[in-house]
mmCIF file of all heavy atoms in Angstrom:
data_model
loop_
_atom_site.group_PDB
_atom_site.id
_atom_site.type_symbol
_atom_site.label_atom_id
_atom_site.label_comp_id
_atom_site.label_asym_id
_atom_site.label_seq_id
_atom_site.Cartn_x
_atom_site.Cartn_y
_atom_site.Cartn_z
ATOM 1 N N ARG A 78 97.780 93.556 103.274
ATOM 2 C CA ARG A 78 98.119 92.708 102.133
ATOM 3 C C ARG A 78 98.701 93.574 101.025
ATOM 4 O O ARG A 78 98.128 94.610 100.664
ATOM 5 C CB ARG A 78 96.884 91.972 101.635
ATOM 6 C CG ARG A 78 96.228 91.049 102.677
ATOM 7 C CD ARG A 78 94.891 90.560 102.165
ATOM 8 N NE ARG A 78 94.002 91.660 101.880
ATOM 9 C CZ ARG A 78 92.967 91.599 101.034
ATOM 10 N NH1 ARG A 78 92.715 90.478 100.385
ATOM 11 N NH2 ARG A 78 92.199 92.654 100.837
ATOM 12 N N VAL A 79 99.821 93.126 100.453
ATOM 13 C CA VAL A 79 100.519 93.906 99.442
ATOM 14 C C VAL A 79 100.638 93.076 98.167
ATOM 15 O O VAL A 79 101.258 92.010 98.159
ATOM 16 C CB VAL A 79 101.923 94.326 99.935
ATOM 17 C CG1 VAL A 79 102.594 95.224 98.893
ATOM 18 C CG2 VAL A 79 101.824 95.039 101.288
ATOM 19 N N PHE A 80 100.036 93.575 97.102
ATOM 20 C CA PHE A 80 100.089 92.900 95.803
ATOM 21 C C PHE A 80 101.311 93.407 95.047
ATOM 22 O O PHE A 80 101.499 94.614 94.881
ATOM 23 C CB PHE A 80 98.812 93.197 95.009
ATOM 24 C CG PHE A 80 98.701 92.454 93.719
ATOM 25 C CD1 PHE A 80 98.175 91.171 93.688
ATOM 26 C CD2 PHE A 80 99.130 93.016 92.533
ATOM 27 C CE1 PHE A 80 98.065 90.471 92.493
ATOM 28 C CE2 PHE A 80 99.028 92.332 91.336
ATOM 29 C CZ PHE A 80 98.495 91.050 91.311
ATOM 30 N N VAL A 81 102.165 92.479 94.581
ATOM 31 C CA VAL A 81 103.438 92.856 93.976
ATOM 32 C C VAL A 81 103.564 92.259 92.575
ATOM 33 O O VAL A 81 103.381 91.055 92.378
ATOM 34 C CB VAL A 81 104.635 92.377 94.832
ATOM 35 C CG1 VAL A 81 105.958 92.873 94.235
ATOM 36 C CG2 VAL A 81 104.488 92.852 96.281
ATOM 37 N N GLY A 82 103.871 93.105 91.605
ATOM 38 C CA GLY A 82 104.185 92.663 90.249
ATOM 39 C C GLY A 82 105.531 93.232 89.830
ATOM 40 O O GLY A 82 106.111 94.059 90.538
ATOM 41 N N ILE A 100 107.990 92.886 103.638
ATOM 42 C CA ILE A 100 106.564 92.797 103.952
ATOM 43 C C ILE A 100 106.333 91.799 105.087
ATOM 44 O O ILE A 100 105.618 92.071 106.059
ATOM 45 C CB ILE A 100 105.765 92.377 102.703
ATOM 46 C CG1 ILE A 100 105.846 93.462 101.611
ATOM 47 C CG2 ILE A 100 104.299 92.090 103.072
ATOM 48 C CD1 ILE A 100 105.278 93.029 100.276
ATOM 49 N N ASN A 106 101.148 90.460 104.406
ATOM 50 C CA ASN A 106 100.985 89.338 103.496
ATOM 51 C C ASN A 106 101.383 89.787 102.099
ATOM 52 O O ASN A 106 100.727 90.649 101.508
ATOM 53 C CB ASN A 106 99.522 88.855 103.509
ATOM 54 C CG ASN A 106 99.311 87.646 102.608
ATOM 55 O OD1 ASN A 106 100.260 87.032 102.150
ATOM 56 N ND2 ASN A 106 98.059 87.320 102.350
ATOM 57 N N ALA A 107 102.464 89.216 101.569
ATOM 58 C CA ALA A 107 102.939 89.548 100.223
ATOM 59 C C ALA A 107 102.286 88.619 99.213
ATOM 60 O O ALA A 107 102.373 87.402 99.335
ATOM 61 C CB ALA A 107 104.457 89.415 100.149
ATOM 62 N N VAL A 108 101.626 89.205 98.223
ATOM 63 C CA VAL A 108 101.002 88.436 97.143
ATOM 64 C C VAL A 108 101.803 88.715 95.885
ATOM 65 O O VAL A 108 101.711 89.802 95.298
ATOM 66 C CB VAL A 108 99.526 88.823 96.954
ATOM 67 C CG1 VAL A 108 98.898 88.003 95.834
ATOM 68 C CG2 VAL A 108 98.758 88.642 98.257
ATOM 69 N N LEU A 109 102.624 87.744 95.469
ATOM 70 C CA LEU A 109 103.547 87.939 94.358
ATOM 71 C C LEU A 109 102.934 87.404 93.067
ATOM 72 O O LEU A 109 102.600 86.228 92.966
ATOM 73 C CB LEU A 109 104.873 87.231 94.644
ATOM 74 C CG LEU A 109 105.559 87.579 95.977
ATOM 75 C CD1 LEU A 109 106.934 86.922 96.065
ATOM 76 C CD2 LEU A 109 105.670 89.087 96.166
ATOM 77 N N ALA A 110 102.827 88.281 92.077
ATOM 78 C CA ALA A 110 102.167 87.920 90.818
ATOM 79 C C ALA A 110 103.138 87.725 89.663
ATOM 80 O O ALA A 110 102.722 87.369 88.567
ATOM 81 C CB ALA A 110 101.147 88.996 90.448
ATOM 82 N N LEU A 113 103.996 91.463 85.328
ATOM 83 C CA LEU A 113 102.660 92.024 85.160
ATOM 84 C C LEU A 113 102.795 93.522 84.867
ATOM 85 O O LEU A 113 103.598 94.203 85.496
ATOM 86 C CB LEU A 113 101.858 91.824 86.450
ATOM 87 C CG LEU A 113 100.343 91.919 86.390
ATOM 88 C CD1 LEU A 113 99.754 90.835 85.501
ATOM 89 C CD2 LEU A 113 99.764 91.814 87.793
ATOM 90 N N ALA A 117 98.020 96.881 85.629
ATOM 91 C CA ALA A 117 97.402 95.710 86.239
ATOM 92 C C ALA A 117 97.650 95.684 87.737
ATOM 93 O O ALA A 117 96.773 95.316 88.528
ATOM 94 C CB ALA A 117 97.930 94.431 85.602
ATOM 95 N N VAL A 118 98.851 96.077 88.150
ATOM 96 C CA VAL A 118 99.166 96.128 89.584
ATOM 97 C C VAL A 118 98.288 97.166 90.281
ATOM 98 O O VAL A 118 97.760 96.926 91.371
ATOM 99 C CB VAL A 118 100.656 96.450 89.797
ATOM 100 C CG1 VAL A 118 100.970 96.634 91.279
ATOM 101 C CG2 VAL A 118 101.533 95.340 89.212
ATOM 102 N N ALA A 119 98.118 98.326 89.641
ATOM 103 C CA ALA A 119 97.248 99.355 90.215
ATOM 104 C C ALA A 119 95.815 98.856 90.321
ATOM 105 O O ALA A 119 95.124 99.096 91.319
ATOM 106 C CB ALA A 119 97.308 100.620 89.369
ATOM 107 N N LEU A 121 94.783 95.719 90.582
ATOM 108 C CA LEU A 121 94.646 94.584 91.487
ATOM 109 C C LEU A 121 95.191 94.855 92.885
ATOM 110 O O LEU A 121 95.278 93.942 93.702
ATOM 111 C CB LEU A 121 95.354 93.363 90.891
ATOM 112 C CG LEU A 121 94.797 92.877 89.544
ATOM 113 C CD1 LEU A 121 95.709 91.823 88.936
ATOM 114 C CD2 LEU A 121 93.385 92.344 89.701
ATOM 115 N N ALA A 122 95.561 96.103 93.152
ATOM 116 C CA ALA A 122 96.126 96.464 94.462
ATOM 117 C C ALA A 122 95.205 96.026 95.594
ATOM 118 O O ALA A 122 93.978 96.108 95.498
ATOM 119 C CB ALA A 122 96.371 97.970 94.536
ATOM 120 N N LEU A 123 95.823 95.553 96.665
ATOM 121 C CA LEU A 123 95.080 95.163 97.866
ATOM 122 C C LEU A 123 95.161 96.334 98.846
ATOM 123 O O LEU A 123 94.672 97.402 98.555
ATOM 124 C CB LEU A 123 95.665 93.867 98.412
ATOM 125 C CG LEU A 123 95.594 92.684 97.410
ATOM 126 C CD1 LEU A 123 96.393 91.496 97.893
ATOM 127 C CD2 LEU A 123 94.152 92.310 97.133
ATOM 128 N N ASP A 124 95.793 96.144 100.012
ATOM 129 C CA ASP A 124 96.018 97.310 100.863
ATOM 130 C C ASP A 124 97.073 98.226 100.240
ATOM 131 O O ASP A 124 97.058 99.433 100.444
ATOM 132 C CB ASP A 124 96.446 96.867 102.264
ATOM 133 C CG ASP A 124 95.306 96.148 102.982
ATOM 134 O OD1 ASP A 124 94.252 96.773 103.185
ATOM 135 O OD2 ASP A 124 95.460 94.961 103.310
ATOM 136 N N LEU A 125 97.974 97.614 99.506
ATOM 137 C CA LEU A 125 98.932 98.341 98.668
ATOM 138 C C LEU A 125 99.124 97.556 97.385
ATOM 139 O O LEU A 125 98.916 96.344 97.329
ATOM 140 C CB LEU A 125 100.289 98.490 99.358
ATOM 141 C CG LEU A 125 100.439 99.422 100.557
ATOM 142 C CD1 LEU A 125 101.862 99.338 101.103
ATOM 143 C CD2 LEU A 125 100.077 100.857 100.196
ATOM 144 N N GLY A 126 99.568 98.247 96.343
ATOM 145 C CA GLY A 126 100.037 97.603 95.134
ATOM 146 C C GLY A 126 101.443 98.089 94.864
ATOM 147 O O GLY A 126 101.734 99.290 95.009
ATOM 148 N N VAL A 127 102.345 97.183 94.503
ATOM 149 C CA VAL A 127 103.748 97.547 94.285
ATOM 150 C C VAL A 127 104.226 96.933 92.988
ATOM 151 O O VAL A 127 104.012 95.736 92.741
ATOM 152 C CB VAL A 127 104.640 97.057 95.453
ATOM 153 C CG1 VAL A 127 106.114 97.334 95.151
ATOM 154 C CG2 VAL A 127 104.228 97.720 96.748
ATOM 155 N N VAL A 128 104.869 97.735 92.158
ATOM 156 C CA VAL A 128 105.456 97.206 90.934
ATOM 157 C C VAL A 128 106.961 97.447 90.967
ATOM 158 O O VAL A 128 107.431 98.528 91.306
ATOM 159 C CB VAL A 128 104.823 97.841 89.674
ATOM 160 C CG1 VAL A 128 105.026 99.339 89.618
ATOM 161 C CG2 VAL A 128 105.358 97.182 88.412
ATOM 162 N N VAL A 178 100.662 83.998 93.020
ATOM 163 C CA VAL A 178 99.509 83.789 92.143
ATOM 164 C C VAL A 178 99.993 83.764 90.695
ATOM 165 O O VAL A 178 100.942 84.457 90.330
ATOM 166 C CB VAL A 178 98.451 84.889 92.331
ATOM 167 C CG1 VAL A 178 97.888 84.844 93.739
ATOM 168 C CG2 VAL A 178 99.022 86.268 92.049
ATOM 169 N N ALA A 181 97.048 86.297 87.400
ATOM 170 C CA ALA A 181 96.846 87.744 87.284
ATOM 171 C C ALA A 181 96.855 88.202 85.835
ATOM 172 O O ALA A 181 96.054 89.057 85.430
ATOM 173 C CB ALA A 181 97.914 88.483 88.089
#
Side-chain angles (χ1 to χ4, degrees):
R78 300 170 301 157
V79 184
F80 185 86
V81 184
I100 295 171
N106 182 12
V108 180
L109 307 186
L113 199 63
V118 175
L121 299 170
L123 300 170
D124 293 299
L125 289 177
V127 175
V128 61
V178 296

